[in-house]
mmCIF file of all heavy atoms in Angstrom:
data_model
loop_
_atom_site.group_PDB
_atom_site.id
_atom_site.type_symbol
_atom_site.label_atom_id
_atom_site.label_comp_id
_atom_site.label_asym_id
_atom_site.label_seq_id
_atom_site.Cartn_x
_atom_site.Cartn_y
_atom_site.Cartn_z
ATOM 1 N N ASP A 1 -94.273 -25.993 37.767
ATOM 2 C CA ASP A 1 -94.948 -26.862 38.721
ATOM 3 C C ASP A 1 -94.539 -28.314 38.469
ATOM 4 O O ASP A 1 -94.300 -28.720 37.326
ATOM 5 C CB ASP A 1 -96.466 -26.711 38.586
ATOM 6 C CG ASP A 1 -97.180 -27.009 39.890
ATOM 7 O OD1 ASP A 1 -96.510 -27.405 40.860
ATOM 8 O OD2 ASP A 1 -98.408 -26.847 39.937
ATOM 9 N N GLN A 2 -94.460 -29.081 39.534
ATOM 10 C CA GLN A 2 -94.002 -30.463 39.454
ATOM 11 C C GLN A 2 -95.009 -31.406 40.096
ATOM 12 O O GLN A 2 -95.791 -31.018 40.962
ATOM 13 C CB GLN A 2 -92.637 -30.610 40.164
ATOM 14 C CG GLN A 2 -91.539 -29.711 39.627
ATOM 15 C CD GLN A 2 -91.103 -30.093 38.239
ATOM 16 O OE1 GLN A 2 -91.094 -31.272 37.879
ATOM 17 N NE2 GLN A 2 -90.744 -29.101 37.429
ATOM 18 N N VAL A 3 -94.948 -32.665 39.667
ATOM 19 C CA VAL A 3 -95.743 -33.710 40.307
ATOM 20 C C VAL A 3 -95.120 -34.033 41.659
ATOM 21 O O VAL A 3 -93.901 -34.195 41.779
ATOM 22 C CB VAL A 3 -95.789 -34.975 39.430
ATOM 23 C CG1 VAL A 3 -96.564 -36.090 40.132
ATOM 24 C CG2 VAL A 3 -96.413 -34.661 38.088
ATOM 25 N N ARG A 4 -95.955 -34.107 42.691
ATOM 26 C CA ARG A 4 -95.449 -34.392 44.032
ATOM 27 C C ARG A 4 -95.419 -35.895 44.303
ATOM 28 O O ARG A 4 -95.924 -36.695 43.505
ATOM 29 C CB ARG A 4 -96.333 -33.683 45.062
ATOM 30 C CG ARG A 4 -96.357 -32.185 44.872
ATOM 31 C CD ARG A 4 -97.368 -31.530 45.805
ATOM 32 N NE ARG A 4 -97.693 -30.183 45.327
ATOM 33 C CZ ARG A 4 -98.839 -29.575 45.550
ATOM 34 N NH1 ARG A 4 -99.791 -30.176 46.240
ATOM 35 N NH2 ARG A 4 -99.058 -28.361 45.086
ATOM 36 N N LYS A 5 -94.839 -36.265 45.451
ATOM 37 C CA LYS A 5 -94.657 -37.680 45.774
ATOM 38 C C LYS A 5 -95.974 -38.429 45.901
ATOM 39 O O LYS A 5 -96.034 -39.627 45.612
ATOM 40 C CB LYS A 5 -93.857 -37.816 47.078
ATOM 41 C CG LYS A 5 -92.407 -37.370 46.966
ATOM 42 C CD LYS A 5 -91.681 -37.562 48.285
ATOM 43 C CE LYS A 5 -90.227 -37.131 48.171
ATOM 44 N NZ LYS A 5 -89.482 -37.298 49.454
ATOM 45 N N ASP A 6 -97.017 -37.730 46.344
ATOM 46 C CA ASP A 6 -98.307 -38.402 46.538
ATOM 47 C C ASP A 6 -99.227 -38.242 45.330
ATOM 48 O O ASP A 6 -100.434 -38.466 45.423
ATOM 49 C CB ASP A 6 -99.004 -37.878 47.791
ATOM 50 C CG ASP A 6 -99.299 -36.386 47.730
ATOM 51 O OD1 ASP A 6 -98.748 -35.713 46.834
ATOM 52 O OD2 ASP A 6 -100.076 -35.897 48.564
ATOM 53 N N GLU A 7 -98.655 -37.875 44.182
ATOM 54 C CA GLU A 7 -99.444 -37.650 42.975
ATOM 55 C C GLU A 7 -98.864 -38.439 41.805
ATOM 56 O O GLU A 7 -97.725 -38.910 41.851
ATOM 57 C CB GLU A 7 -99.445 -36.161 42.600
ATOM 58 C CG GLU A 7 -100.098 -35.254 43.620
ATOM 59 C CD GLU A 7 -99.932 -33.787 43.291
ATOM 60 O OE1 GLU A 7 -98.888 -33.419 42.700
ATOM 61 O OE2 GLU A 7 -100.826 -33.001 43.620
ATOM 62 N N ILE A 8 -99.652 -38.522 40.746
ATOM 63 C CA ILE A 8 -99.179 -39.096 39.497
ATOM 64 C C ILE A 8 -99.507 -38.115 38.376
ATOM 65 O O ILE A 8 -100.572 -37.488 38.375
ATOM 66 C CB ILE A 8 -99.830 -40.477 39.222
ATOM 67 C CG1 ILE A 8 -99.243 -41.090 37.948
ATOM 68 C CG2 ILE A 8 -101.349 -40.379 39.126
ATOM 69 C CD1 ILE A 8 -99.685 -42.534 37.712
ATOM 70 N N GLY A 9 -98.580 -37.934 37.454
ATOM 71 C CA GLY A 9 -98.854 -37.079 36.314
ATOM 72 C C GLY A 9 -99.827 -37.757 35.369
ATOM 73 O O GLY A 9 -99.738 -38.968 35.132
ATOM 74 N N MET A 10 -100.751 -36.987 34.818
ATOM 75 C CA MET A 10 -101.770 -37.544 33.931
ATOM 76 C C MET A 10 -101.951 -36.612 32.730
ATOM 77 O O MET A 10 -102.305 -35.441 32.889
ATOM 78 C CB MET A 10 -103.089 -37.703 34.679
ATOM 79 C CG MET A 10 -104.180 -38.404 33.890
ATOM 80 S SD MET A 10 -103.837 -40.167 33.638
ATOM 81 C CE MET A 10 -103.847 -40.761 35.339
ATOM 82 N N VAL A 11 -101.705 -37.138 31.531
ATOM 83 C CA VAL A 11 -101.880 -36.370 30.305
ATOM 84 C C VAL A 11 -103.286 -36.596 29.780
ATOM 85 O O VAL A 11 -103.719 -37.748 29.605
ATOM 86 C CB VAL A 11 -100.846 -36.790 29.245
ATOM 87 C CG1 VAL A 11 -101.117 -36.078 27.914
ATOM 88 C CG2 VAL A 11 -99.440 -36.480 29.716
ATOM 89 N N VAL A 12 -104.007 -35.509 29.516
ATOM 90 C CA VAL A 12 -105.353 -35.615 28.946
ATOM 91 C C VAL A 12 -105.405 -34.807 27.665
ATOM 92 O O VAL A 12 -104.730 -33.782 27.533
ATOM 93 C CB VAL A 12 -106.436 -35.143 29.943
ATOM 94 C CG1 VAL A 12 -106.486 -36.057 31.155
ATOM 95 C CG2 VAL A 12 -106.207 -33.707 30.382
ATOM 96 N N CYS A 13 -106.213 -35.280 26.724
ATOM 97 C CA CYS A 13 -106.244 -34.630 25.416
ATOM 98 C C CYS A 13 -107.651 -34.317 24.939
ATOM 99 O O CYS A 13 -107.824 -33.777 23.851
ATOM 100 C CB CYS A 13 -105.551 -35.513 24.371
ATOM 101 S SG CYS A 13 -106.338 -37.134 24.150
ATOM 102 N N GLY A 14 -108.670 -34.631 25.745
ATOM 103 C CA GLY A 14 -110.050 -34.445 25.301
ATOM 104 C C GLY A 14 -110.901 -33.705 26.294
ATOM 105 O O GLY A 14 -110.495 -32.661 26.826
ATOM 106 N N ALA A 15 -112.075 -34.256 26.578
ATOM 107 C CA ALA A 15 -113.069 -33.559 27.388
ATOM 108 C C ALA A 15 -112.670 -33.419 28.850
ATOM 109 O O ALA A 15 -113.368 -32.745 29.620
ATOM 110 C CB ALA A 15 -114.419 -34.272 27.293
ATOM 111 N N HIS A 16 -111.562 -34.037 29.261
ATOM 112 C CA HIS A 16 -111.076 -33.848 30.633
ATOM 113 C C HIS A 16 -110.236 -32.579 30.771
ATOM 114 O O HIS A 16 -109.849 -32.217 31.881
ATOM 115 C CB HIS A 16 -110.239 -35.051 31.087
ATOM 116 C CG HIS A 16 -111.051 -36.273 31.389
ATOM 117 N ND1 HIS A 16 -111.240 -37.283 30.480
ATOM 118 C CD2 HIS A 16 -111.756 -36.622 32.498
ATOM 119 C CE1 HIS A 16 -111.997 -38.226 31.011
ATOM 120 N NE2 HIS A 16 -112.326 -37.856 32.224
ATOM 121 N N MET A 17 -109.945 -31.899 29.675
ATOM 122 C CA MET A 17 -109.131 -30.688 29.760
ATOM 123 C C MET A 17 -109.912 -29.550 30.415
ATOM 124 O O MET A 17 -111.139 -29.569 30.488
ATOM 125 C CB MET A 17 -108.639 -30.283 28.366
ATOM 126 C CG MET A 17 -107.654 -31.285 27.773
ATOM 127 S SD MET A 17 -106.733 -30.647 26.334
ATOM 128 C CE MET A 17 -108.044 -30.469 25.151
ATOM 129 N N SER A 18 -109.176 -28.548 30.896
ATOM 130 C CA SER A 18 -109.771 -27.453 31.655
ATOM 131 C C SER A 18 -110.892 -26.789 30.872
ATOM 132 O O SER A 18 -110.761 -26.504 29.679
ATOM 133 C CB SER A 18 -108.710 -26.415 32.018
ATOM 134 O OG SER A 18 -108.080 -25.919 30.860
ATOM 135 N N GLY A 19 -112.002 -26.549 31.562
ATOM 136 C CA GLY A 19 -113.135 -25.865 30.966
ATOM 137 C C GLY A 19 -114.036 -26.739 30.120
ATOM 138 O O GLY A 19 -115.090 -26.280 29.674
ATOM 139 N N LEU A 20 -113.667 -27.999 29.880
ATOM 140 C CA LEU A 20 -114.477 -28.897 29.063
ATOM 141 C C LEU A 20 -115.338 -29.797 29.961
ATOM 142 O O LEU A 20 -115.111 -29.894 31.166
ATOM 143 C CB LEU A 20 -113.577 -29.701 28.125
ATOM 144 C CG LEU A 20 -112.823 -28.842 27.089
ATOM 145 C CD1 LEU A 20 -112.027 -29.715 26.121
ATOM 146 C CD2 LEU A 20 -113.774 -27.940 26.314
ATOM 147 N N PRO A 21 -116.335 -30.479 29.382
ATOM 148 C CA PRO A 21 -117.388 -31.112 30.200
ATOM 149 C C PRO A 21 -116.933 -32.108 31.256
ATOM 150 O O PRO A 21 -117.570 -32.223 32.306
ATOM 151 C CB PRO A 21 -118.267 -31.795 29.136
ATOM 152 C CG PRO A 21 -118.091 -30.959 27.916
ATOM 153 C CD PRO A 21 -116.670 -30.521 27.942
ATOM 154 N N LEU A 22 -115.861 -32.858 31.015
ATOM 155 C CA LEU A 22 -115.442 -33.882 31.973
ATOM 156 C C LEU A 22 -114.316 -33.421 32.901
ATOM 157 O O LEU A 22 -113.791 -34.228 33.674
ATOM 158 C CB LEU A 22 -115.009 -35.152 31.225
ATOM 159 C CG LEU A 22 -116.087 -35.839 30.369
ATOM 160 C CD1 LEU A 22 -115.543 -37.129 29.768
ATOM 161 C CD2 LEU A 22 -117.334 -36.128 31.205
ATOM 162 N N ASN A 23 -113.961 -32.144 32.835
ATOM 163 C CA ASN A 23 -112.863 -31.662 33.672
ATOM 164 C C ASN A 23 -113.144 -31.844 35.160
ATOM 165 O O ASN A 23 -112.226 -32.041 35.966
ATOM 166 C CB ASN A 23 -112.579 -30.190 33.373
ATOM 167 C CG ASN A 23 -111.406 -29.640 34.145
ATOM 168 O OD1 ASN A 23 -111.557 -28.728 34.947
ATOM 169 N ND2 ASN A 23 -110.220 -30.195 33.928
ATOM 170 N N SER A 24 -114.424 -31.803 35.532
ATOM 171 C CA SER A 24 -114.773 -31.967 36.955
ATOM 172 C C SER A 24 -114.382 -33.335 37.487
ATOM 173 O O SER A 24 -114.229 -33.510 38.696
ATOM 174 C CB SER A 24 -116.272 -31.740 37.161
ATOM 175 O OG SER A 24 -117.030 -32.689 36.437
ATOM 176 N N GLU A 25 -114.220 -34.335 36.598
ATOM 177 C CA GLU A 25 -113.786 -35.657 37.058
ATOM 178 C C GLU A 25 -112.352 -35.601 37.592
ATOM 179 O O GLU A 25 -111.950 -36.460 38.384
ATOM 180 C CB GLU A 25 -113.905 -36.682 35.930
ATOM 181 C CG GLU A 25 -115.350 -36.953 35.526
ATOM 182 C CD GLU A 25 -115.476 -38.083 34.520
ATOM 183 O OE1 GLU A 25 -114.446 -38.740 34.223
ATOM 184 O OE2 GLU A 25 -116.591 -38.311 34.035
ATOM 185 N N LEU A 26 -111.604 -34.610 37.170
ATOM 186 C CA LEU A 26 -110.266 -34.384 37.724
ATOM 187 C C LEU A 26 -110.323 -33.451 38.936
ATOM 188 O O LEU A 26 -109.798 -33.767 40.000
ATOM 189 C CB LEU A 26 -109.352 -33.792 36.656
ATOM 190 C CG LEU A 26 -108.854 -34.744 35.568
ATOM 191 C CD1 LEU A 26 -108.216 -33.967 34.433
ATOM 192 C CD2 LEU A 26 -107.860 -35.745 36.147
ATOM 193 N N THR A 27 -110.952 -32.305 38.760
ATOM 194 C CA THR A 27 -110.939 -31.302 39.833
ATOM 195 C C THR A 27 -111.654 -31.799 41.081
ATOM 196 O O THR A 27 -111.253 -31.462 42.197
ATOM 197 C CB THR A 27 -111.568 -29.988 39.351
ATOM 198 O OG1 THR A 27 -112.904 -30.233 38.882
ATOM 199 C CG2 THR A 27 -110.747 -29.375 38.228
ATOM 200 N N SER A 28 -112.703 -32.594 40.933
ATOM 201 C CA SER A 28 -113.422 -33.106 42.107
ATOM 202 C C SER A 28 -112.579 -34.094 42.905
ATOM 203 O O SER A 28 -112.881 -34.384 44.058
ATOM 204 C CB SER A 28 -114.731 -33.776 41.677
ATOM 205 O OG SER A 28 -114.476 -34.943 40.901
ATOM 206 N N ARG A 29 -111.515 -34.590 42.284
ATOM 207 C CA ARG A 29 -110.608 -35.518 42.963
ATOM 208 C C ARG A 29 -109.337 -34.811 43.461
ATOM 209 O O ARG A 29 -108.377 -35.459 43.838
ATOM 210 C CB ARG A 29 -110.245 -36.664 42.022
ATOM 211 C CG ARG A 29 -111.409 -37.614 41.746
ATOM 212 C CD ARG A 29 -111.036 -38.678 40.713
ATOM 213 N NE ARG A 29 -112.029 -39.749 40.681
ATOM 214 C CZ ARG A 29 -113.156 -39.710 39.981
ATOM 215 N NH1 ARG A 29 -113.403 -38.631 39.220
ATOM 216 N NH2 ARG A 29 -114.012 -40.706 40.013
ATOM 217 N N GLY A 30 -109.351 -33.495 43.431
ATOM 218 C CA GLY A 30 -108.207 -32.738 43.935
ATOM 219 C C GLY A 30 -107.050 -32.635 42.968
ATOM 220 O O GLY A 30 -105.931 -32.296 43.366
#
């Protein structure tokens, strides 16, 4: 999978990772 033209790649290492408490801050933004 690749980053598209209308997106930016974002590296996360903590609670924003999948299944962790802050992941919804990413998924709710698409």
Side-chain angles (χ1 to χ4, degrees):
D1 208 356
Q2 303 291 326
V3 177
R4 300 173 198 152
K5 292 181 179 180
D6 61 347
E7 296 173 328
I8 184 172
M10 186 70 63
V11 175
V12 295
C13 61
H16 286 96
M17 293 195 294
S18 58
L20 296 184
L22 299 184
N23 183 243
S24 62
E25 293 187 6
L26 285 168
T27 57
S28 66
R29 290 175 167 84

